Amino acid sequence: MKTTKLFFILTLFSVLTSNAQITKRNWMVGGTGSFYSAQLKDNNMTSNSIGLELRPNLGLFVIDKFALGITPLFAYNKPENNSSVISYGVGPYARYYFLKPENRINVLAHVGYSYYGNNSTNDNSSALDFKAGPVLFFNSSVALEMTLNYNLNNLDSSTKYNIFSLGLGFQIHLEK
């Protein structure tokens, strides 16, 4: 019993005193996933769809609290009364953490651009992505992020749709 208490106290102490690695020249590797429900508007027609999006990422902190990186994406979308669509792509992103690097809890803002294609139409599309939310650092290297995401998507000149989603992700921050 005493060993369990001691282990718990030491673990809690190490978590509470950890410093996040969101400083210049550190790397960030991880990814996020989100589930969404979207409404597609195309030439005065409206349809609903549900989807899942996975985005691994790699980034470098170019200055303290500010990272630039690249993220591939994989998305599964199921429109109502239609067959499912699988999309894949890649794009750059920029991310900023608002609070001090030594804080165990931080807040992030993220903006990215994605260029992608899908398996059914072979069309190319683009999206502008925004996300923000809290980040919980378990220690100096591992963080859990919960974000509210907003995507502006352009399938072609006449088809545009917007997606609100909730995201959950893990990031590993690697020291210099």
Side-chain angles (χ1 to χ4, degrees):
M1 183 68 174
K2 288 182 182 183
T3 307
T4 306
K5 281 185 182 180
L6 180 62
F7 176 75
F8 178 73
I9 290 170
L10 289 175
T11 303
L12 183 63
F13 180 74
S14 68
V15 168
L16 292 176
T17 60
S18 63
N19 293 329
Q21 298 298 327
I22 56 174
T23 54
K24 186 176 179 178
R25 291 191 301 261
N26 287 334
W27 288 91
M28 176 175 57
V29 178
T32 60
S34 59
F35 176 77
Y36 61 87
S37 175
Q39 192 172 61
L40 178 67
K41 294 181 181 180
D42 183 12
N43 297 329
N44 298 325
M45 293 176 51
T46 301
S47 65
N48 296 317
S49 68
I50 59 170
L52 173 70
E53 188 174 271
L54 301 173
R55 291 179 177 259
N57 65 279
L58 174 65
L60 175 66
F61 286 90
V62 293
I63 60 174
D64 288 355
K65 305 188 303 180
F66 182 72
L68 296 175
I70 190 164
T71 182
L73 82 91
F74 171 81
Y76 171 82
N77 191 346
K78 176 63 176 114
E80 66 182 1
N81 303 324
N82 211 339
S83 60
S84 62
V85 177
I86 295 176
S87 301
Y88 48 89
V90 67
Y93 72 88
R95 175 179 284 205
Y96 185 76
Y97 292 85
F98 289 95
L99 304 178
K100 295 179 182 178
E102 53 274 354
N103 286 0
R104 186 172 151 235
I105 298 175
N106 213 316
V107 177
L108 73 86
H110 174 111
V111 63
Y113 176 81
S114 299
Y115 181 75
Y116 61 95
N118 71 55
N119 67 338
S120 61
T121 64
N122 294 322
D123 291 334
N124 294 323
S125 307
S126 63
L128 190 56
D129 311 311
F130 301 95
K131 67 172 120 177
V135 180
L136 172 64
F137 285 89
F138 295 119
N139 56 36
S140 64
S141 299
V142 179
L144 172 69
E145 57 188 39
M146 296 147 283
T147 57
L148 178 61
N149 309 328
Y150 181 66
N151 302 58
L152 303 162
N153 296 274
N154 293 319
L155 295 178
D156 54 42
S157 60
S158 65
T159 307
K160 300 178 187 324
Y161 65 99
N162 304 331
I163 298 173
F164 279 106
S165 63
L166 295 175
L168 185 64
F170 277 103
Q171 299 296 329
I172 299 173
H173 299 265
L174 305 171
E175 294 186 46
K176 311 171 200 173

